[in-house]
Amino acid sequence: MRTQIVAGNWKMNKTFEEADDLINDIVDFVKNHNLENTAVIICPPSVYLELATDFANETNLHVGAQNLSNYESGAYTGEISAPMLESMEVGYCIIGHSERRKYFNETNEMIAEKVNMALKYNISPIFCCGELLPEREKGNHFDIVKKQLEESVFHLNKTDFGNIIIAYEPVWAIGTGVTATSDQAQEMHYYIRSLIKEKYDEETGESTTILYGGSCNSKNAKELFANPDVDGGLIGGASLKSDEFIKIIQSIDD
Ligand code: 13P
């Protein structure tokens, strides 16, 4: 069975005290519940990563960053490198999020460099892909996602690809309250899995975790996660409130 994952992308939210409270609540929940086949990952802003890894050390909570540099070290003011994250025991990193593509001009090529950098330092990329609304309206959504995969992760060999988590996040569903329907999510996840099988092999396709992201909340999570090719979620807004995030974790681990 594939690992089911619920990951929280906090984006640029929370003061130190708020972050401390939220991490504490999640740690309490994870400590007191035996989550059989579900991994919980939190991705706070990088200034809170140490806080998160300190707490997470005692539990099976995992910690991810929201971004890393495509450079290894040097004069890149403001950037955070993969070796830094590795040295802080950060095991995951969101790469290729649509907000970074849109506001920070990240291209598929740059995202491929970041994926390589993460893997070099034992960080599992949570690789985000997904189409814009006009692309879906034109019926181009499958082609867009295929191109994103081809240009940013399909250059990897099978062993490295085995460390990738895919997150399908249709851009029109992010922060809009408009969730993809269960059928739309399943259809794209099935397509992504078929591409992986075609590129690598059946086993790699079957074992890759593919998350859904975009206005996922405690009300719609159960239905989305019930799809055979949806292995959990990458949660934005709903990961900022502990009770809501915990309900989402419970909906996958039922
Ligand atoms: P929302 O859950 O707020 O729509 O954000 C999804 C997302 O972008 C997660 O990376």
Side-chain angles (χ1 to χ4, degrees):
M1 194 181 178
R2 286 187 287 275
T3 313
Q4 310 282 298
I5 295 176
V6 177
N9 175 8
W10 295 10
K11 309 192 181 182
M12 197 176 71
N13 291 293
K14 302 286 176 194
T15 61
F16 180 79
E17 268 180 28
E18 291 165 350
D20 192 41
D21 286 348
L22 180 52
I23 295 170
N24 261 299
D25 287 350
I26 298 167
V27 164
D28 268 356
F29 173 79
V30 170
K31 257 191 188 163
N32 295 313
H33 291 80
N34 184 19
L35 301 171
E36 295 218 328
N37 189 39
T38 305
V40 179
I41 307 174
I42 51 169
C43 303
S46 28
V47 285
Y48 307 138
L49 283 171
E50 192 182 355
L51 184 67
T53 50
D54 276 355
F55 278 117
N57 266 342
E58 308 150 28
T59 68
N60 56 353
L61 178 68
H62 303 274
V63 178
Q66 296 176 15
N67 180 35
L68 51 69
S69 173
N70 46 334
Y71 300 109
E72 203 150 3
S73 68
Y76 301 102
T77 302
E79 287 292 88
I80 290 170
S81 72
M84 290 174 193
L85 295 176
E86 187 195 34
S87 71
M88 291 174 65
E89 294 173 32
V90 174
Y92 299 85
C93 185
I94 298 171
I95 298 181
H97 193 280
S98 61
E99 287 149 15
R100 296 217 53 94
R101 293 175 190 263
K102 179 177 175 189
Y103 301 119
F104 303 96
N105 304 318
E106 290 195 7
T107 60
N108 288 346
E109 193 188 352
M110 194 189 298
I111 291 163
E113 289 171 7
K114 291 188 177 203
V115 164
N116 294 343
M117 198 56 85
L119 290 169
K120 183 172 174 189
Y121 289 94
N122 303 309
I123 295 163
S124 292
I126 303 174
F127 170 75
C128 300
C129 55
E131 79 287 355
L132 304 167
L133 185 58
E135 291 165 343
R136 178 163 280 266
E137 284 171 347
K138 278 194 217 130
N140 289 343
H141 42 298
F142 293 116
D143 289 347
I144 292 292
V145 169
K146 184 176 184 203
K147 190 170 155 67
Q148 290 170 337
L149 289 162
E150 281 175 349
E151 294 185 1
S152 299
V153 286
F154 277 178
H155 62 282
L156 298 172
N157 65 34
K158 199 167 95 170
T159 311
D160 279 344
F161 190 85
N163 292 314
I164 298 271
I165 296 159
I166 308 277
Y168 169 58
E169 300 206 310
V171 181
W172 46 271
I174 297 179
T176 57
V178 183
T179 321
T181 63
S182 181
D183 287 351
Q184 285 171 327
Q186 169 56 24
E187 183 183 43
M188 183 59 87
H189 283 228
Y190 176 84
Y191 175 69
I192 293 171
R193 199 176 303 289
S194 350
L195 292 175
I196 298 168
K197 288 181 185 174
E198 219 173 272
K199 169 73 194 170
Y200 297 96
D201 54 27
E202 180 73 22
E203 196 200 332
T204 309
E206 278 305 318
S207 59
T208 303
T209 296
I210 309 178
L211 309 179
Y212 169 79
S215 297
C216 184
N217 57 42
S218 64
K219 301 216 166 54
N220 57 34
K222 201 174 176 103
E223 191 188 339
L224 285 160
F225 298 167
N227 285 298
D229 289 296
V230 178
D231 307 313
L234 180 55
I235 319 296
S239 73
L240 297 174
K241 289 193 194 125
S242 55
D243 53 344
E244 182 72 6
F245 189 58
I246 287 167
K247 277 189 207 153
I248 296 174
I249 301 169
Q250 285 170 318
S251 68
I252 203 171
D253 202 55
D254 267 0

